[in-house]
Amino acid sequence: MRSVEPMEGYGPASRRRRGLVRRKEMPLWQELPLLLVVAFCLAVLIRTFLVQAFYIPSGSMENTLLVKDRVLVNKVIYDMRDPVRGEIVVFRGDENWTPEVTEPVSNTFAAKLGRTIGDLVGVSRPGERDFIKRVIGLPGDKVACCDAKGRITVNGVGIDEPYIADGFNSDLNQPPNPNQCTSRQFTEVIVPDGEMFIMGDHRQVSQDARCQGPVPISNIIGRAFVIVWPSNRFTSLSVPDVWKAYAADHPTAAAPALEPMRKDDPATEVFALPFLLSAALSARSGLPFGTRRRRLPS
């Protein structure tokens, strides 16, 4: 039989010159630190710009949220739309807001280091000025309590609140106190432009807008949308039907456009994500990052 000579330019040496021969994979001891760094950077970027886990330190939202629950907070939703009545939001309180943290915090070096790392990846407890409450009123709304049935009213309409557990509402007979939220009664508040009226679901212990005033919408960190821990309490945090019905029956003007809640421009960090992922995949396959990047279609 006649032997067939390889065509010119397609021999083994040519393939090696064109970089088509698979190189030896990076050892695990070199690859693992790189992957850990990439994973940490992704976690920091996600925590900073997209979703963050928050620890519930007080009972002001019982029984919707219990102490030691962890919720996920969507941090970009209010960059695209305004808040909605009935949503649960995490926000930064003004200086006059009283911290609600009920558990002591250790100040040892190990505890501080753990909190720092946890804060970077978004699994730490909130700061003293971070609060979680339910949106009751939006700019222009008139919020008061109480009507003949002892309910809060929004623009004169009484609201049945199914999320307030029996025995968790504040005292109806106690006179209103502008410095304490111990009474269910409070004088009518017209929510200023750019602000929101928020209240906790456990009205007996929650320190909220009844006595501490409305909160700027620009102070919102994000919307809590799901309980993720403990696992037996996993559930979504949707807008109650009573608020959906109210919005449908009593439409109001939309709240003013939100100001940017973060001064940082995420474009640079988000733009870097494809390069970080490419670096990790290159390390996995053993190909240089530059070679893999050049092979991507333009």
Side-chain angles (χ1 to χ4, degrees):
M1 295 179 64
R2 295 178 57 188
S3 61
V4 179
E5 296 293 334
M7 296 179 63
E8 183 178 356
Y10 286 89
S14 175
R15 288 197 297 270
R16 282 194 296 270
R17 286 195 300 270
R18 287 152 59 178
L20 298 180
V21 176
R22 186 178 179 84
R23 300 186 184 184
K24 185 177 179 181
E25 290 189 1
M26 181 182 294
L28 180 62
W29 65 270
Q30 293 180 345
E31 181 180 5
L32 186 58
L34 175 60
L35 294 178
L36 290 176
V37 169
V38 172
F40 181 80
C41 291
L42 288 175
V44 172
L45 291 176
I46 291 172
R47 175 254 185 233
T48 304
F49 301 113
L50 300 177
V51 177
Q52 183 175 355
F54 272 89
Y55 170 92
I56 305 302
S58 76
S60 68
M61 283 295 293
E62 292 177 339
N63 278 332
T64 306
L65 300 174
L66 304 181
V67 176
K68 297 185 180 180
D69 280 354
R70 287 188 183 272
V71 299
L72 291 185
V73 173
N74 184 331
K75 302 181 73 172
V76 297
I77 187 170
Y78 297 130
D79 290 332
M80 297 177 284
R81 66 166 177 82
D82 297 326
V84 173
R85 300 182 196 89
E87 290 182 326
I88 298 174
V89 297
V90 175
F91 61 95
R92 294 186 179 89
D94 295 334
E95 292 184 359
N96 60 317
W97 276 68
T98 304
E100 291 184 333
V101 177
T102 59
E103 295 184 354
V105 178
S106 174
N107 288 318
T108 64
F109 174 78
K112 289 181 178 178
L113 179 61
R115 288 197 296 269
T116 300
I117 296 175
D119 184 63
L120 286 174
V121 299
V123 296
S124 66
R125 68 174 61 216
E128 287 188 350
R129 294 296 174 188
D130 293 341
F131 299 84
I132 184 165
K133 307 287 182 184
R134 191 180 297 274
V135 178
I136 301 297
L138 296 175
D141 282 345
K142 298 178 181 179
V143 184
C145 192
C146 303
D147 66 1
K149 296 182 180 180
R151 303 173 299 179
I152 63 168
T153 62
V154 179
N155 299 321
V157 178
I159 306 295
D160 292 309
E161 298 180 278
Y163 41 79
I164 299 180
D166 292 340
F168 280 37
N169 213 337
S170 45
D171 189 353
L172 180 60
N173 298 317
Q174 186 172 347
N177 185 339
N179 300 317
Q180 253 185 338
C181 297
T182 53
S183 173
R184 193 184 311 185
Q185 302 180 52
F186 59 90
T187 55
E188 183 179 85
V189 175
I190 301 177
V191 184
D193 288 344
E195 299 190 2
M196 59 182 177
F197 193 93
I198 51 83
M199 299 175 72
D201 290 355
H202 191 337
R203 300 287 161 81
Q204 290 185 2
V205 300
S206 175
Q207 299 297 303
D208 49 44
R210 290 174 290 170
C211 57
Q212 304 194 91
V215 177
I217 292 177
S218 59
N219 283 19
I220 293 179
I221 295 172
R223 178 194 172 186
F225 64 94
V226 65
I227 301 174
V228 293
W229 190 259
S231 58
N232 63 344
R233 285 184 44 75
F234 181 87
T235 187
S236 63
L237 298 171
S238 58
V239 176
D241 290 340
V242 62
W243 288 112
K244 293 178 181 178
Y246 178 88
D249 295 340
H250 304 86
T252 59
L258 302 181
E259 298 178 358
M261 289 184 289
R262 290 174 290 276
K263 296 180 180 179
D264 307 286
D265 182 5
T268 303
E269 288 81 358
V270 174
F271 182 75
L273 281 175
F275 296 97
L276 293 173
L277 292 173
S278 297
L281 294 173
S282 299
R284 184 69 184 170
S285 63
L287 290 174
F289 170 63
T291 302
R292 176 169 290 272
R293 181 165 57 88
R294 285 195 297 272
R295 287 186 179 182
L296 292 175
S298 59

